[in-house]
Amino acid sequence: MLQLRTRGTDGGAELLKGVPGQRTATATPAPAPAAAAPDAAPGRMQGPARRRTGRLGRAGRLLPTPTGTPFTFGYALVLLATSLFAEYGDPGTVAGLLHASSTDVAHLSRTPLLVLVASALWVAGGLLSPYAIGFVFVLTALERRIGAWRTAAVFLVGHVVATLATEIPVALSVLAGHLPDTSLHRLDYGISFGLMASVGALAGLLTPVARGLVLAWVSVMLLQDLVAFEDPLTNWGHPLALAVGAGCGPLLRRAGRRI
């Protein structure tokens, strides 16, 4: 389109167009602005910043969140509260609550459902124990793969099966006269059985090589506990719970592919 380039008004430009001999100039297209370099694109991180953000995002997935892993997140808050109370609460009150939550034979014979739930609300050894740390990372990883309800089911099944498998023999041994009556009130609480079942279930979702390595490593640690013979009943419950979780592997692998 032909136009006269002037510094005047539009009306002056129109008058000059009709003057004989006046040259009209073709407007020179303004040079297109240079495309911004990719690293300078607004709102977008590039290079080292993007890699750092990616690493932080992957690291964040190792920890529970209210929306991503609601079961693990909510359960962890409960364990945090009970652990802080056990650490700083009145010692007499804490001892009474732990005893009331114990899954010993005496309590299981009277209020089985209550103590099976209550015993899993405490962490033996406190917040810095291997069980507390393992709970956060193992259950987060498991829940991200199979969902909240299935993770809760695995934990509960491992907790209940291993508890009954270790306490019923105590009851039978007392009846047979092989153990004293005081064994019916043996203090027993904690999340370790549910955690071991979760470890077995998570291992079942890995590749065959990784699964074998994880199960072998955990089994060696549990075998060391058995050799130490410090708490035989509980120590036998751990490999049983691990086997229960690993046995859920085929079913959980199919469930994990649907999520």
Side-chain angles (χ1 to χ4, degrees), residues 72-73 130 231:
T72 305
F73 185 84
D231 189 355

Side-chain angles (χ1 to χ4, degrees), residues 159-214:
H159 175 69
V160 172
V161 170
T163 297
L164 296 179
T166 52
E167 293 297 340
I168 290 177
V170 172
L172 297 177
S173 297
V174 171
L175 289 175
H178 300 305
L179 289 175
D181 291 345
T182 55
S183 299
L184 300 176
H185 304 278
R186 188 181 68 94
L187 190 63
D188 188 18
Y189 65 90
I191 60 172
S192 59
F193 290 161
L195 175 60
M196 285 297 107
S198 300
V199 170
L202 181 60
L205 301 176
L206 303 177
T207 62
V209 174
R211 183 185 315 147
L213 291 175
V214 170

